[in-house]
Amino acid sequence: MAKQNVSEQFVDILVRAGVKRLYGVVGDSLNPVVDAVRRNAAVEWIQVRHEETAAFAAGAEAQITGSLAVCAGSCGPGNLHLINGLYDAHRSMAPVLALASHIPSSEIGLGYFQETHPELLFQECSHYNEMISNPQQMPRLLQTAIQHAIGRGGVSVVSMPGDIASQQALEKSIEHALVTSRPSVKPGDEEIEKLCRMVDEAKRVTLFCGSGTAGAHAEVMAFAERVKAPVGHALRGKEWIQYDNPYDVGMSGLLGYGAAYEATNECDLLILLGTDFPYNAFLPTDVKIVQVDVRPEHLGRRSKLDLAVWGDVRETLRALTPRVRAKTDRKFLDRMLKKHADALEGVVKAYTRKVEKHVPIHPEYVAAVLDELADDDAVFTVDTGMCNVWAARYLTPNGRRRVIGSFSHGSMANALPQAIGAQFTDRNRQVVSMSGDGGFTMLMGDFLTLVQYNLPVKVVLFNNSSLGMVELEMLVAGLPSFGTTYKNPDFAAVARAAGAYGVRVEKPKQLEGALKDAFKHKGPALVDVVTDPNALSIPPKISADMVTGFALSASKIVLDGGVGRMLQMARSNLRNVPRP
């Protein structure tokens, strides 16, 4: 058997960890690793046009599969381009390993061409960030990095000089069984008993759910039924908790709707389940609060807690639900369900007024039609900005669909790169990129990656020729919009010139047929929808001092922008309210 070099050993360990592909751009110091990938049939090199895309794609793959994903960049500028996507993956708790290739080891610290210091640069967006400076460190260092990414949920960065990557690996290196999944975490009995007493003593309990409720839908519903609790959610909790939920009172936050704000502020006991919801202005200050989270460093960093519970949501509720006394009083729950439906009735008018004739097209209408036509197991990747609004208001979860965005990091240009990573996990699953024109053009070069690999991603482009969310921020702050408009090309023509399917939609009656045709197309497709940049209105009671960035200090309904099928769901839940 031929002796391995360090790069070959590096790639073999990744394969043992279940890695199927590496995303990146080839170049100088990275070439030995890329060559090792070329000669290993178990793993694939995905050539993107920008390393930021590589990091976003790896983060999306990790979120879809729950397994380790990998991206790579060559020395200096190459791996610097990874940073933004790695921040997003890290804040999304996506297990991602980044290989930051480095300059020759003998030149480090001497101002060599393209010299940077990856061990400093990536420190804030990783759990583990170390450099391989000797073949003896490999594979132990790589194994440690993998276990940090998987075990803690987030990014690990390994930097490796190109000359080290080419050296001969040790014949008898220390390798061990790799951790490739995370265990469940059950709270201690003492915390469960304390929580049980607090629930029993409270008359009005509200649950507020985040992405940590993934895999715990049944347990949340059983607990809500037992204690007659309304259930609200953050944006990242929507896909996991809103479907088949007779206790749903909507979403809180700037993009929120319904009665989630009231339910969290009018209860006796608020239980935060698997959420790191960042906008503490929406959280109450005069009710008891319990937080359940698998990451102890998240406990109490948004609000003062009366009880902190370290554990995952499913295990916590499995232990708690049988112990609490069943409540029979539904008054609070029914009042919140009624408020929720009433609130949605009030905002739905923006969607119902002549939208099928409105030109430019209402973006709400685009999102509603997209929601109706998309597959039941579709993956939606959502650009930051107004596309977040439409996803929050119009995409209907069902337990099989996925919705991925830069919901914690808030980066532009995330949707297209994330769609690439999502589509590589399953070419037969429908992947839809809900892109804004600002975000799409920022990394538009990687539309060519779709063409190169014939990835059947469908890009639905909300083209309002502006940075809509930024204009909204300026409006609320009392500023005139400035520097927010674009002169855009015919993006459908650009797509066709690149070798993809492209269609431009300027009238509402063209929309449904255009989407159906794009979805039928076997390869990549782009639907360029010209939408109304003035689709949103702000209620007059919202004043400038109520908003700081994305944090609203005092309001229940922020954006009068429609709610899609959420009203239908709320009306359905009202059937559960007993009639006198």
Side-chain angles (χ1 to χ4, degrees):
M1 181 178 177
K3 294 181 179 179
Q4 285 188 317
N5 64 24
V6 172
S7 292
E8 291 168 327
Q9 189 180 50
F10 187 97
V11 172
D12 278 353
I13 292 171
L14 294 181
V15 170
R16 285 178 49 216
V19 174
K20 299 290 193 300
R21 57 194 66 85
L22 283 74
Y23 302 89
V25 178
V26 299
D28 44 62
S29 57
L30 188 58
N31 290 342
V33 175
V34 176
D35 189 62
V37 172
R38 177 184 66 83
R39 290 181 282 108
N40 192 318
V43 66
E44 184 180 8
W45 177 259
I46 305 301
Q47 178 185 357
V48 296
R49 303 303 175 108
H50 195 295
E51 289 91 349
E52 184 176 349
T53 295
F56 271 122
E61 178 182 322
Q63 290 180 70
I64 293 292
T65 64
S67 301
L68 184 72
V70 180
C71 58
S74 58
C75 63
N79 62 60
L80 281 178
H81 286 160
L82 296 170
I83 286 182
N84 191 51
L86 293 183
Y87 262 95
D88 183 80
H90 194 56
R91 299 187 70 180
S92 300
M93 297 179 64
V96 170
L97 175 79
L99 170 60
S101 189
H102 208 350
I103 64 172
S105 58
S106 61
E107 301 296 333
I108 294 174
L110 300 175
Y112 191 74
F113 176 65
Q114 294 187 324
E115 180 174 11
T116 58
H117 291 86
E119 68 277 15
L120 300 177
L121 291 166
F122 294 98
Q123 195 64 37
E124 194 177 0
C125 62
S126 64
H127 290 305
Y128 185 84
N129 179 21
E130 297 289 348
M131 183 174 70
I132 298 172
S133 56
N134 189 298
Q136 290 180 326
Q137 289 176 281
M138 250 285 296
R140 286 183 297 159
L141 191 146
L142 177 57
Q143 291 169 158
T144 302
I146 290 171
Q147 290 174 183
H148 271 77
I150 294 172
R152 298 187 64 182
V155 171
S156 284
V157 179
V158 173
S159 53
M160 182 164 62
D163 59 312
I164 300 296
S166 299
Q167 289 182 22
Q168 184 176 316
L170 297 181
E171 290 190 51
K172 295 183 179 180
S173 58
I174 300 173
E175 299 187 29
H176 57 75
L178 289 168
V179 171
T180 57
S181 61
R182 300 177 66 185
S184 57
V185 179
K186 180 182 176 182
D189 289 339
E190 184 177 350
E191 284 71 30
I192 293 295
E193 285 301 324
K194 288 180 181 178
L195 179 52
C196 182
R197 288 196 297 271
M198 293 177 71
V199 173
D200 286 346
E201 291 169 1
K203 292 183 178 180
R204 302 183 301 275
V205 179
T206 292
L207 310 182
F208 186 67
C209 302
S211 61
T213 57
H217 184 275
E219 287 77 10
V220 174
M221 295 303 106
F223 182 69
E225 167 58 29
R226 190 163 182 85
V227 300
K228 305 300 183 284
V231 179
H233 60 270
L235 179 55
R236 290 190 66 200
K238 174 184 173 73
E239 63 178 323
W240 305 114
I241 214 66
Q242 192 181 32
Y243 69 95
D244 295 340
N245 181 356
Y247 317 100
D248 176 51
V249 291
M251 191 173 83
S252 194
L254 181 66
L255 310 185
Y257 54 83
Y261 180 87
E262 290 92 334
T264 55
N265 281 267
E266 296 180 23
C267 59
D268 296 327
L269 176 64
L270 174 62
I271 304 179
L272 307 175
L273 294 175
T275 180
D276 194 34
F277 181 71
Y279 311 123
N280 54 14
F282 286 91
L283 297 175
T285 57
D286 56 353
V287 305
K288 290 183 178 181
I289 300 179
V290 174
Q291 184 178 357
V292 179
D293 206 293
V294 74
R295 294 180 69 161
E297 65 269 27
H298 287 181
L299 294 169
R301 70 178 184 175
R302 307 300 184 200
S303 60
K304 182 180 178 181
L305 300 182
D306 294 274
L307 180 64
V309 180
W310 181 11
D312 62 56
V313 172
R314 184 171 62 178
E315 292 299 324
T316 300
L317 294 183
R318 282 180 175 178
L320 176 66
T321 302
R323 301 191 192 189
V324 299
R325 291 196 300 268
K327 298 184 187 297
T328 58
D329 188 348
R330 289 182 53 104
K331 290 180 182 177
F332 178 62
L333 170 60
D334 293 341
R335 182 162 62 87
M336 290 300 110
L337 291 175
K338 181 65 165 57
K339 275 195 171 186
H340 179 57
D342 290 346
L344 299 194
E345 294 276 5
V347 300
V348 78
K349 63 181 181 295
Y351 168 60
T352 57
R353 283 187 299 215
K354 301 180 180 178
V355 291
E356 295 184 9
K357 297 181 180 179
H358 187 90
V359 178
I361 302 170
H362 268 313
E364 302 98 324
Y365 180 64
V366 181
V369 175
L370 175 61
D371 181 57
E372 291 284 348
L373 297 180
D375 290 350
D376 287 342
D377 65 344
V379 177
F380 297 91
T381 60
V382 182
D383 259 343
T384 297
M386 296 317 306
C387 285
N388 268 203
V389 179
W390 315 135
R393 301 293 180 88
Y394 288 93
L395 295 185
T396 307
N398 58 12
R400 299 171 62 201
R401 286 178 165 179
R402 294 298 312 273
V403 182
I404 294 175
S406 187
F407 299 140
S408 295
H409 186 49
S411 173
M412 286 181 65
N414 61 286
L416 174 62
Q418 288 177 330
I420 291 171
Q423 192 71 83
F424 267 114
T425 66
D426 185 351
R427 285 178 172 269
N428 295 317
R429 188 175 187 181
Q430 187 181 74
V431 176
V432 180
S433 173
M434 293 178 64
S435 296
D437 55 306
F440 179 74
T441 53
M442 187 176 282
L443 285 174
M444 188 167 63
D446 269 293
F447 186 79
L448 300 176
T449 300
L450 302 183
V451 177
Q452 180 168 334
Y453 290 95
N454 196 31
L455 290 175
V457 170
K458 314 307 177 190
V459 177
V460 179
L461 187 59
F462 288 72
N463 180 6
N464 62 3
S465 297
S466 70
L467 297 173
M469 183 61 79
V470 180
E471 286 191 349
L472 183 61
E473 292 167 350
M474 290 178 172
L475 174 65
V476 173
L479 301 172
S481 60
F482 180 77
T484 58
T485 58
Y486 289 118
K487 183 177 181 180
N488 286 328
D490 181 336
F491 288 110
V494 173
R496 291 193 297 269
Y501 179 92
V503 60
R504 186 172 173 91
V505 178
E506 297 180 346
K507 297 180 179 179
K509 65 181 181 180
Q510 301 168 333
L511 178 65
E512 184 172 344
L515 288 174
K516 286 181 177 179
D517 290 343
F519 288 165
K520 290 177 184 176
H521 184 69
K522 298 299 183 182
L526 183 144
V527 182
D528 179 8
V529 187
V530 180
T531 59
D532 186 355
N534 301 310
L536 287 179
S537 61
I538 298 293
K541 64 182 178 182
I542 304 299
S543 59
D545 61 355
M546 290 181 180
V547 177
T548 302
F550 280 84
L552 183 68
S553 298
S555 180
K556 304 170 186 176
I557 302 168
V558 186
L559 302 175
D560 188 8
V563 289
R565 283 192 277 176
M566 307 307 142
L567 176 59
Q568 179 182 337
M569 295 167 62
R571 287 170 173 167
S572 177
N573 286 344
L574 282 180
R575 298 170 190 162
N576 298 314
V577 178
R579 303 300 179 189

